[in-house]
């Protein structure tokens, strides 16, 4: 891919980015995309902006810094979790999705690129969030384009350790979701810290909503049976 056109944007991340690995990842994605629906984005420049650069934006947050485990919940084709894992090979990343075909694809990427710091999990947030293997085990939980913030909080905050952060990656509509999510965030043991706006090179706006976990999530959450979506807190 032609990264030269985005050289100035990439400098903002202050990292030695593994562009060759990103290129190979995109090649595998496009190959698999011919057999299963993994992404609607196939244009090279759009992929750079909307998949790779967008996935890197948590690196701009002070709250993201650290060495603790990161969970990408509802990872889809691996954005942002796989991109960040390639960028930070000494940090452990867990990628979880409810569709097994996506996990099969991600495992192929892990094998092809010999990635040592990624584990994938097939599971639903409503069930995995109650499992001691995952509950309150992560310094950072990331989620990109999964659900409105009041719903997302119930999916994600049970996974965050006390003192850790949920980083919800949103479009500009994220600002409208914050007020309606305040009750859910508080109920689940969180506290909204701040929002950080980022403009992609193509002009699209992105909003990172940062929520800190300040106390343990009550045991009855997350609720099962689709209740987070049917009856948001």
């Amino acid at each position: 891919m032609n990264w030269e056109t985005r050289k100035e944007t990439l400098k903002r991340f202050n990292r030695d980015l593994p562009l060759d690995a990103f290129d190979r990842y995109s090649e595998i994605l496009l190959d698999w995309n011919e057999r299963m629906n993994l992404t609607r984005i196939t244009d090279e420049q759009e992929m750079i902006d909307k998949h790779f650069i967008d996935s890197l934006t948590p690196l701009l947050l002070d709250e993201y810094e650290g060495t603790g485990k990161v969970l990408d919940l509802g990872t889809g084709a691996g954005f942002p979790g796989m991109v960040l894992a390639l960028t930070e090979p000494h940090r452990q990343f867990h990628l979880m999705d409810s569709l097994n075909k996506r996990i099969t694809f991600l495992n192929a990427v892990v094998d092809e690129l010999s990635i040592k710091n990624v584990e994938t999990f097939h599971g639903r947030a409503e069930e995995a969030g109650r499992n001691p293997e995952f509950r309150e085990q992560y310094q950072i939980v990331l989620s990109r384009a999964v659900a409105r913030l009041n719903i997302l909080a119930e999916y994600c905050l049970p996974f965050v350790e006390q003192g850790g952060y949920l980083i919800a990656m949103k479009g500009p509509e994220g600002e409208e979701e914050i007020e309606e999510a305040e009750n859910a965030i508080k109920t689940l043991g969180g506290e909204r810290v701040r929002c950080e706006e980022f403009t992609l090179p193509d002009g699209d706006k992105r909003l990172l909503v940062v929520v800190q976990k300040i106390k343990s999530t009550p045991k009855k959450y997350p609720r099962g049976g689709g209740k987070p979506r049917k009856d948001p807190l």
Side-chain angles (χ1 to χ4, degrees):
M1 292 193 289
N2 184 11
W3 296 96
E4 192 65 24
T5 61
R6 297 297 186 246
K7 184 168 61 175
E8 292 307 310
T9 299
L10 296 176
K11 284 180 181 177
R12 289 190 60 184
F13 299 113
N14 196 29
R15 296 287 199 289
D16 185 14
L17 298 172
L19 300 184
D20 289 344
F22 290 172
D23 285 346
R24 184 64 189 125
Y25 178 19
S26 68
E27 289 170 1
I28 301 168
L29 173 60
L30 292 174
D31 179 47
W32 279 65
N33 203 51
E34 293 180 3
R35 304 189 295 278
M36 64 174 69
N37 182 27
L38 290 165
T39 179
R40 63 170 183 78
I41 297 172
T42 57
D43 174 76
E44 178 182 293
Q45 201 63 67
E46 193 177 8
M47 186 174 287
I48 288 174
D49 290 346
K50 289 187 166 59
H51 279 337
F52 288 91
I53 290 177
D54 191 17
S55 292
L56 291 168
T57 54
L59 295 172
L60 301 172
L61 301 172
D62 290 341
E63 292 87 355
Y64 178 81
E65 295 295 327
T67 58
K69 281 193 300 184
V70 178
L71 172 66
D72 179 9
L73 191 62
T75 186
F79 303 105
M82 192 71 80
V83 175
L84 290 165
L86 289 167
T87 304
E88 299 188 296
H90 302 298
R91 194 171 193 176
Q92 189 67 29
F93 288 79
H94 287 179
L95 277 55
M96 185 177 292
D97 201 89
S98 61
L99 288 183
N100 199 46
K101 70 174 186 177
R102 294 172 181 159
I103 298 301
T104 301
F105 162 71
L106 293 171
N107 288 337
V109 174
V110 168
D111 290 343
E112 177 73 22
L113 297 180
S114 300
I115 302 170
K116 306 299 184 187
N117 62 326
V118 168
E119 290 184 67
T120 62
F121 298 92
H122 175 224
R124 293 172 54 82
E126 296 168 46
E127 297 161 3
R130 291 176 171 271
N131 186 335
E133 180 183 354
F134 304 110
R135 189 178 180 89
E136 301 194 335
Q137 296 298 308
Y138 298 93
Q139 180 190 345
I140 301 291
V141 174
L142 301 165
S143 200
R144 177 178 181 251
V146 168
R148 290 184 70 85
L149 189 58
N150 58 342
I151 301 167
L152 193 66
E154 186 166 355
Y155 287 155
C156 293
L157 280 171
F159 292 93
V160 183
E161 67 185 16
Q162 290 188 57
Y165 296 92
L166 160 63
I167 300 174
M169 303 174 69
K170 293 285 186 178
E173 78 285 348
E175 287 194 39
E176 304 169 9
E177 301 175 17
I178 292 170
E179 186 173 347
E180 73 174 358
E182 292 290 354
N183 179 63
I185 290 169
K186 182 178 180 181
T187 299
L188 296 158
E191 179 179 72
R192 182 167 65 86
V193 177
R194 66 189 180 100
C195 300
E196 186 75 24
E197 190 176 279
F198 184 84
T199 303
L200 297 179
D202 64 3
D204 278 6
K205 301 288 185 182
R206 292 292 183 265
L207 192 70
L208 303 179
V209 183
V210 183
V211 176
Q212 186 171 31
K213 180 80 163 281
I214 58 173
K215 61 183 180 180
S216 186
T217 299
K219 290 182 179 180
K220 66 180 179 178
Y221 300 111
R223 295 167 294 165
K227 286 184 180 179
R229 284 190 183 273
K230 294 174 188 174
D231 183 25
L233 293 172

